[in-house]
Each structure stands twice: as structure tokens, then as C-alpha cells.
Amino acid sequence: MRQNLYGLMAEFAKSEELLRAAQGAYQAGYRKMDAYSPSQVDGVAEAIGFTKTRVPLVVLIGGIIGAVTGYGMQYYSAVRDYPLNVGGRPLHSWPAFVPITFEFTVLFAAFAALIGMLAMNRLPNPYHPVFNTPEFRLASQTRFFLCLEASDTQFDLQSTRHFLESLGPLAIHEVEL
Amino acid sequence: MVAPGHNSESVTQKISSIVLERPIMLGWLGGFTVAFGLLMMLNIAIGWLLIKGVGVWGINIPVAWGFAIVNFVWWIGIGHAGTFISAILLLLHQDWRTSINRFAESMTLFAVACAGMFPLLHLGRPWVFYWLLPYPDTMGLWPQWRSPLVWDVFAVGTYLTVSLIFWYVGMVPDLATMRDRAIRRPVQLVYGIIALGWRGSARHWKRFHAAYLLLAGLATPLVLSVHSVVSLDFAVAMVPGWHSTIFPPYFVAGAIFSGFAMVLTLAVPIRKFYGLQDFITIRHLENCAKIMLATGLMVAHGYITEGFMSWYSDDKFDIYMTLNRIFGPYAPAYWLLILCNVIVPQAIWFKKIRTNPAILFVIALLVNVGMWTERFVIVVTSLHRDFLPSAWGIYDATQWDWMTLLGSFGLFLSLLFLFLRVLPAISIAEMRTLIREQKEASK
């Protein structure tokens, strides 16, 4: 097998073809693969074996940390660190602490969504082997791609190419490392 | 929703070509020059303010809030429509939002940027604005958490940050499209950097959509909370005309009302000059107009309730405040707001009118004026005659007040012109999905 090969990539014109190809490849036993599309295609991520994302969990944790931080900051500063009697109001006047607690919750959760999504996607990542294929420019415009990666145990240049051809793609590209 | 005959290729081509292929047009250049001129005027006005102090404005006792707070509330209200369109309508599966959400979100960002400037300038010593933030200072002091003015700092700060995150995350796939379609190397590099290496992987898309929906869910309560907190700046005070429990919902309705007016004010010319009638159709304008009508009626209900409550309270200061608004020295402003916010929008009941872009544009402009006047009436007429007649006074805006207001248009429009020039004004990725779904539905 060639050393500098990242994988074989099939190019499709329609989202349904990509979905069928992804399902077919998974059934044929391929595991290390990825599908690329200009906008989200429902079901493709599941078809290549990616069924669950932990983004919601990260956002939940971010929100909880935000709520605790927001309330804790107000409690600590107004009750512990610098108790100040303003018009006889209780030091721990919790209803007045609600708005900022809410804002902190939303702010931290939003940052968790942004950073969590990017980190789990390993972005920013300006270089990736798939970009070596000139036709891949179309993956952000009109075309759909399925890439079977060479690191898959089942990958074999000849048989994998045959398999991809059986899916009826527009073209098959060799992706170099 | 989208004019027939479009496919994902033509959508991609059409939206990206506005940025990548269209030469700089005379109209754009002229518009940007005017906007930039106003921005320079803002710089002069702020410079003079920093040299001389807030005394250059018309504010004094009893009216200490003046234009700065009127403009702040007005601009931040305008921002609300963008979040409403991009977050709430997304969660409600209103597909028509797709072609207007990007520029409505941009409008939000620019409006909040304009808004945030005013309370800072109004501080008197803007360079110590950070005293509002919790940080370990040498005196060991903290912000006063029980004050709505401090809540405001956090509400507006969070709003701006979350709107920015939401806007940017939603744009990443489109930036990848721009990167791949750009012809010149420097342009490719810039889009390549801000696209973060997005490659449209199925795994990425799944996480992206989870994050995007959650951000929409997080932005949704902000639509209601930001202007509620702004209204508490007023409602927590004892001043007649401010001390009212109807303020939070009434302010939120007013914010969405003025925001949709601004969306229409911008959408009508943009779709015409950039030939986007296929994407921003009459149906979009009509829907925006309907939301404007509905929220306008809520605002009208707020006016009626305010009047009723001051009569029902039997509080002589409150009754005087209401009569003073209607018949006092600022009566023309009151009647202008009634005309613009209550009477004029009723024309939208007629289908002929709400499907006519030119007339909608005029109505929207009048609503913008009306909502600014409303905030003027709330701020100024409440303060200028409160409890003690010996402490009454008259507020007059100076040229510096006007220059700052007009200058903030310059800031807003300059940012908007630059946005239209360098970023895709419509979400290309979402339009592709929309067209695919539309095709499947018609099969």
C-alpha cells in the first residue's frame, strides 16, 4: 500500500446518494470514514456511526458553573467580603441577585457551546489532508463527498476502489497526506 | 419562500458573488461615504464631550438622563428583532427566517454596539467604566448588586457577547464557502483563517447543529430579559411615569416592534439594490409587517394601561404626569409618538399596503421615529416635572446631543455597509437546506 495515502474519496451530486453510500460503507464494515457536505444532511452522521454528541452536556455544565459563579460572586462580595448596610436591606438579598445569576448562566453556557463545539471538532484546524484534493473545494458549495480512510483495517486500494465504484459516484479521488 | 428556479448552486453563486465578484458600486461608495462622514462627526462630538464633560449636553437637574439614555434604550430595542428572528423563529421552525436572519443578527450587533456607547459616555468619566465590573480593586469595593444599573451592565454585556457568538458560529460554514470560492490569494487567506478550517464533516455538522440550537435556546430568554432589565432602570425608581409594573413586558414589546421596523427599513432597500427579491420575498416583508403590527398593538395596550393606572391610582403626582405628557410643554412629542406608533401601523391591516415595499418602508421609518420619541417622552417628561414644582425644569438638547445621535447612525450604517461588502448577507448553508426541503416537499 502507498505510504502517503490518506484515503479514497467518492464524489456525489446529491445528498440522498451520500446518505446511501455512507450506509452502504458502514454495512460493508468500514469504520474510519467521514462524509462531507455543504449543509447538514440528516442521518449521515448516524450512518457513519456517530450517533451521540456531547455538546449538550458541555453546555449544561457550562451553565451550571455560570450560575454557581454568578450567585457565589454576589453572595461572597455582599455578605462575606464587604457587608454594607444599605437602607436596612438584608445582606443576603437573594431576589436582587437573580438577574446577574441568570446572565452568568447564559454567558457561561454560550461560551461552553462555542468552545466545546470547536474543541470537540478539533477546530480551528487550517490543514487537513482532504483539502489536498482540488475537487474538495466543492464540498462547501454543491457536492457531497464520502472519504474512506486508509487507516481502516479493511482498507485496500483495489477493493475499496471497487466498492466505491459500486455506489455510483461522479468521481473517485485519491486523497494524499 | 424562495422564488422558483433556484438550486443550491445558484444560491451559493448569487449570495457569494455579492461579496466576491461584484465591483464596488457607486451607490455603495456614496452610502458608505455619507455614513463614514457621520461617524467622523460622532468622533468630534465624543472628543468634545471628553474634553469638556457631560455639560456640553443639555442634561442638568432635574433632567439628568436626556438623549444619552433615550438613544441607549432605542438602539438596544432595535437589536431585539435580530435575536427574535434568529433564535425564537428558529426554535419555532419558521423557515422563512432563513433569508433574513444573518443581516438581522448583524443589525443586532451593530445596534447593541451603538447602544452600549451611550451609557458609558453618560458616566461622565467614561475612562473609569471598569468600576462597574467586579474586580479586586485597592479599596476592596464591589458593585452594588441590588442596583438595576449594575444588572444592566451584565445584561447588555451578555447580550452583546452571546449575539456575537451566535452570529459567528452560524457564519463559519459560509466562511468556508467564501474561502473556497475566493479567487484572489489574500482573500482566500483571510476567509480561510476566519473559517477555522471548516470542512463540512458529518460529525462536525452534528455538533455544529447541537451547539447552534442550544445557542438559540440560550439567546431566546435574552430577548425577554435584556429589555426587562433596561425597563427596571426606570421602574425601580420612584419617579411618576417610571414607577410602574407594566414596564418590563411593555418595553419588550416595544423593543421587538422597533426592531422589526428597523429590519424593514433595511431589508427593503437591500433587497432592491442587491437584487435579492428572489430570497427576501414579499412574503418575508409581509410577515415582518404582521409582527410589527402585533407588537405595535401590544405597545398601544401599554399606553392605554399606563393612562388607566395613573387615573386608577388616584395619585395626584401620577395623574399630573399623565396630563403633563398629553398637554404639557412636550405634548407635540407625545402626539407624534401616538401618531407613529399607534395610528400609522394600523395601515398594515390592509394586504395591499403590507405587500407594497415602498409604503412599508415609510411606515417602518415612522415607527422608528415614533419609538425614539416614546423613549424621549418616558425619560424627559417624567423627570422634568416630578414632585416639587420648585424643582421643575425644561430640558433642551444641544447641538452636541444631536451630533451624537446622528453620529451613532454613522457608526451603525458604516458597520452595515462594511458587512454587506465583506460577509455573506444571507446564510448560504441554511438556504441550501431550505431549497432541498422545499424540493422534497413539492415532490
Side-chain angles (χ1 to χ4, degrees):
Chain A
M1 200 173 74
R2 276 168 48 197
Q3 284 301 308
N4 63 343
L5 193 71
Y6 174 76
L8 275 178
M9 191 153 66
E11 180 179 347
F12 300 94
K14 285 188 175 152
S15 60
E16 305 92 75
E17 293 170 358
L18 175 70
L19 182 58
R20 243 175 308 173
Q23 286 162 342
Y26 196 83
Q27 270 163 18
Y30 291 98
R31 290 296 176 268
K32 294 208 166 167
M33 59 177 151
D34 209 339
Y36 302 91
S37 55
S39 50
Q40 197 195 21
V41 180
D42 286 334
V44 170
E46 288 78 5
I48 61 170
F50 182 70
T51 50
K52 216 167 144 61
T53 152
R54 278 175 304 179
V55 169
L57 182 67
V58 171
V59 175
L60 176 69
I61 293 169
I64 291 171
I65 292 175
V68 172
T69 309
Y71 198 91
M73 172 185 73
Q74 296 176 81
Y75 178 81
Y76 170 75
S77 62
V79 183
R80 300 274 162 211
D81 191 49
Y82 202 120
L84 189 64
N85 186 337
V86 182
R89 305 293 193 285
L91 292 174
H92 185 202
S93 44
W94 68 266
F97 296 168
V98 170
I100 291 179
T101 306
F102 164 77
E103 301 297 344
F104 264 69
T105 312
V106 171
L107 187 66
F108 277 53
F111 270 112
L114 172 73
I115 296 168
M117 185 270 283
L118 291 180
M120 283 188 268
N121 281 346
R122 302 273 186 277
L123 294 175
N125 177 19
Y127 172 76
H128 193 273
V130 288
F131 289 126
N132 290 336
T133 311
E135 289 81 358
F136 192 73
R137 281 177 63 242
L138 295 173
S140 68
Q141 301 177 46
T142 49
R143 292 285 158 79
F144 301 83
F145 294 85
L146 179 72
C147 183
L148 300 180
E149 289 159 25
S151 54
D152 195 299
T153 47
Q154 205 177 317
F155 188 89
D156 173 83
L157 195 53
Q158 291 304 320
S159 66
T160 302
R161 181 181 277 278
H162 273 296
F163 170 73
L164 283 175
E165 271 164 5
S166 73
L167 299 169
L170 293 173
I172 293 175
H173 312 285
E174 287 185 8
V175 183
E176 288 178 358
L177 270 176
Chain B
M1 243 174 288
V2 181
H6 274 291
N7 54 33
S8 64
E9 190 163 358
S10 69
V11 169
T12 308
Q13 201 276 333
K14 179 125 191 168
I15 299 171
S16 65
S17 71
I18 291 177
V19 175
L20 295 173
E21 287 157 42
R22 194 180 160 105
I24 291 182
M25 308 290 264
L26 215 57
W28 184 90
L29 205 60
F32 183 69
T33 308
V34 172
F36 196 72
L38 288 172
L39 177 60
M40 290 303 106
M41 188 172 78
L42 178 70
N43 280 346
I44 294 169
I46 292 177
W48 188 239
L49 177 85
L50 294 180
I51 293 168
K52 297 293 280 187
V54 284
V56 300
W57 287 346
I59 50 174
N60 210 327
I61 303 300
V63 182
W65 271 16
F67 265 31
I69 305 303
V70 175
N71 299 343
F72 162 67
V73 179
W74 186 69
W75 274 120
I76 204 143
I78 283 170
H80 282 60
T83 321
F84 185 88
I85 289 171
S86 56
I88 296 187
L89 295 185
L90 174 76
L91 298 179
L92 295 176
H93 296 288
Q94 296 294 310
D95 290 339
W96 59 273
R97 75 177 260 293
T98 302
S99 51
I100 53 174
N101 74 327
R102 171 71 45 74
F103 95 80
E105 283 169 31
S106 313
M107 178 195 83
T108 294
L109 283 176
F110 306 152
V112 176
C114 290
M117 185 176 77
F118 285 103
L120 292 183
L121 294 176
H122 191 251
L123 289 175
R125 287 187 288 166
W127 49 91
V128 290
F129 74 92
Y130 59 88
W131 287 4
L132 288 159
L133 303 173
Y135 71 101
D137 67 310
T138 50
M139 306 278 280
L141 286 168
W142 293 93
Q144 173 53 270
W145 307 119
R146 299 173 191 89
S147 163
L149 297 173
V150 170
W151 302 348
D152 226 16
V153 175
F154 288 89
V156 174
T158 302
Y159 187 45
L160 181 64
T161 315
V162 173
S163 303
L164 188 66
I165 292 176
F166 193 47
W167 178 76
Y168 179 63
V169 166
M171 199 155 48
V172 166
D174 283 0
L175 294 173
T177 304
M178 302 300 279
R179 169 197 69 202
D180 293 341
R181 284 186 68 88
I183 304 146
R184 291 191 300 130
R185 185 69 189 156
V187 181
Q188 280 175 347
L189 268 175
V190 172
Y191 285 120
I193 291 166
I194 53 179
L196 306 176
W198 180 263
R199 54 186 190 271
S201 147
R203 292 180 175 88
H204 290 188
W205 274 118
K206 197 172 163 73
R207 294 196 186 101
F208 171 88
H209 267 262
Y212 195 67
L213 282 176
L214 286 165
L215 283 172
L218 290 167
T220 296
L222 287 184
V223 178
L224 304 177
S225 73
V226 176
H227 231 55
S228 297
V229 170
V230 169
S231 79
L232 291 177
D233 292 342
F234 298 91
V236 168
M238 292 204 314
V239 178
W242 287 4
H243 190 66
S244 157
T245 47
I246 193 148
F247 262 36
Y250 156 55
F251 265 53
V252 171
I256 297 171
F257 180 49
S258 65
F260 271 90
M262 190 55 100
V263 167
L264 282 172
T265 312
L266 300 177
V268 170
I270 287 175
R271 75 194 274 277
K272 184 162 166 55
F273 293 130
Y274 286 92
L276 293 171
Q277 285 96 335
D278 286 359
F279 303 145
I280 304 174
T281 61
I282 291 290
R283 192 180 150 206
H284 291 100
L285 301 182
E286 202 182 340
N287 283 352
C288 290
K290 282 180 186 168
I291 296 178
M292 200 165 82
L293 176 61
T295 46
L297 290 173
M298 290 177 210
V299 170
H301 175 256
Y303 299 153
I304 294 166
T305 310
E306 267 196 314
F308 172 80
M309 287 311 290
S310 83
W311 167 74
Y312 193 69
S313 71
D314 206 21
D315 175 288
K316 67 178 174 185
F317 300 113
D318 220 285
I319 293 170
Y320 178 75
M321 181 278 301
T322 305
L323 294 175
N324 183 45
R325 268 185 193 174
I326 302 173
F327 303 111
Y330 295 105
Y334 181 80
W335 292 108
L336 182 65
L337 90 87
I338 294 292
L339 175 73
C340 292
N341 293 351
V342 180
I343 297 169
V344 168
Q346 302 312 317
I348 299 171
W349 287 105
F350 301 98
K351 194 171 176 80
K352 266 224 173 84
I353 286 178
R354 63 173 189 262
T355 52
N356 182 326
I359 298 179
L360 270 185
F361 178 74
V362 174
I363 293 176
L365 266 186
L366 288 174
V367 171
N368 282 323
V369 172
M371 284 308 291
W372 188 88
T373 317
E374 181 208 289
R375 275 67 175 256
F376 179 85
V377 167
I378 290 173
V379 170
V380 175
T381 63
S382 310
L383 284 174
H384 93 117
R385 288 181 182 174
D386 54 7
F387 301 101
L388 283 177
S390 59
W392 288 358
I394 286 288
Y395 167 82
D396 268 321
T398 64
Q399 55 156 321
W400 301 104
D401 281 300
W402 287 106
M403 280 167 72
T404 318
L405 171 62
L406 290 176
S408 69
F409 294 135
L411 174 60
F412 179 76
L413 291 175
S414 299
L415 289 168
L416 194 78
F417 275 111
L418 289 176
F419 158 73
L420 288 172
R421 195 56 238 173
V422 299
L423 293 170
I426 295 176
S427 171
I428 309 174
E430 285 187 38
M431 288 301 277
R432 284 192 283 250
T433 314
L434 184 69
I435 281 174
R436 207 167 63 218
E437 280 167 2
Q438 223 175 16
K439 266 187 197 145
E440 275 161 21
S442 64
K443 260 179 206 166

